[in-house]
Amino acid sequence: MIDALYISSTGLRSQQEQIDVISNNVANMQTPGFKRGRVNFAEVASSPMSGDAQLTAVSHGGGTRVASVSQEFASGAMQPTRGPLDLAIDGNGFFELEDANGNRFYTRSGRFHLDDQGYLAAVNGMRLSAGLQVPQGASDILVSASGELSALLEGSEERTVLGNIELALFTTTEGLESTGDNLYRAGPRSGGAVLAVAGEGGSGRLQQHYLEAANVDMIDEMTGLVLAQRAYQLNARVLQASDQVLETINNLRR
């Protein structure tokens, strides 16, 4: 009966984590490039029990635990926008960003702007690792499907190529580590990033004036939430029933 308390407590913790992940998915439905999280469960190692007569070793489950929380990198729908620097990736690539300390991060969110020095930067302020800069006074900024950045410079009638946006590819996206804020970094299983020209090597082509929507489906999330809540309630009832049985045993008198 003591085991039932511990087993039900593991179920409560696991389902609470499931509810938290689903809530985060729903909260980020409008976040461009967001990838839904998925909880992976594992059974707690079982312990042997001795039989009464034959002393046969019998295993019993020890509950469940959260093994990991991974992201599903299926592509989201392409949504048109009016932003000249809104970019969507139609493929498997990632934008590579660099912070002030030189650390590299990766994202599918293509909402960019020009910072105070004219560099292409994400909403969090990180710049594209390629260090693309648009001179002051430039107009009619265009990004081709292959990532070529061009613009009309002040006083010029011909377009000037300012650089190329390359996309990062990984051996497996399942090895990427989430750092929050819709960012990822390379992990031991993902391998290092390999930069490729957009449209080559499966990286995907770029679409200007588009953003990739989150790959979150409200119906799937609500179904998962209901199942997680019911599982939480069942584990809570097991905990309550075990407590009542223990109370009855404790109150027995000879």
Side-chain angles (χ1 to χ4, degrees), residues 17-47:
E17 180 73 16
Q18 173 83 318
I19 293 172
D20 291 343
V21 170
I22 293 174
S23 299
N24 185 62
N25 290 342
V26 174
N28 285 280
M29 282 191 64
Q30 303 302 321
T31 302
F34 176 80
K35 301 304 175 185
R36 69 180 299 270
R38 180 186 65 210
V39 179
N40 303 309
F41 297 102
E43 184 180 1
V44 175
S46 59
S47 57

Side-chain angles (χ1 to χ4, degrees), residues 4 9 16 32 52 59 99 117 124 153 164 171-172 183 196 207 212 217 248 251 253:
S9 67
Q16 182 61 60
D52 294 335
S59 350
D99 65 8
Q117 296 182 26
N124 56 16
L153 302 186
N164 286 277
T171 303
T172 172
L183 297 173
Q207 294 190 32
E212 180 187 5
D217 185 273
T248 300
N251 292 331
R253 298 180 183 274

Side-chain angles (χ1 to χ4, degrees), residues 90-93 167-171 194-205:
D90 186 12
N92 301 320
L167 301 178
L169 290 171
F170 297 90
T171 303
V194 177
L195 295 180
V197 176
E200 297 182 2
S203 60
R205 302 180 71 81

Side-chain angles (χ1 to χ4, degrees), residues 1 27 33 50-51 59 64 76 83 88-89 106 131 137-138 142 160 163 187 198 227 234 241 244:
M1 193 52 63
S50 299
S59 350
T64 185
I89 303 173
Y106 305 91
L142 292 179
T160 300
L227 292 174
L234 288 173
Q244 292 174 348

Side-chain angles (χ1 to χ4, degrees), residues 138-179:
S139 60
D140 194 19
I141 300 174
L142 292 179
V143 178
S144 70
S146 61
E148 183 181 86
L149 175 68
S150 63
L152 287 175
L153 302 186
E154 190 173 16
S156 175
E157 296 181 356
E158 296 184 358
R159 304 193 65 79
T160 300
V161 176
L162 304 175
N164 286 277
I165 300 175
E166 294 183 312
L167 301 178
L169 290 171
F170 297 90
T171 303
T172 172
T173 55
E174 293 181 359
L176 291 175
E177 300 174 354
S178 175
T179 61

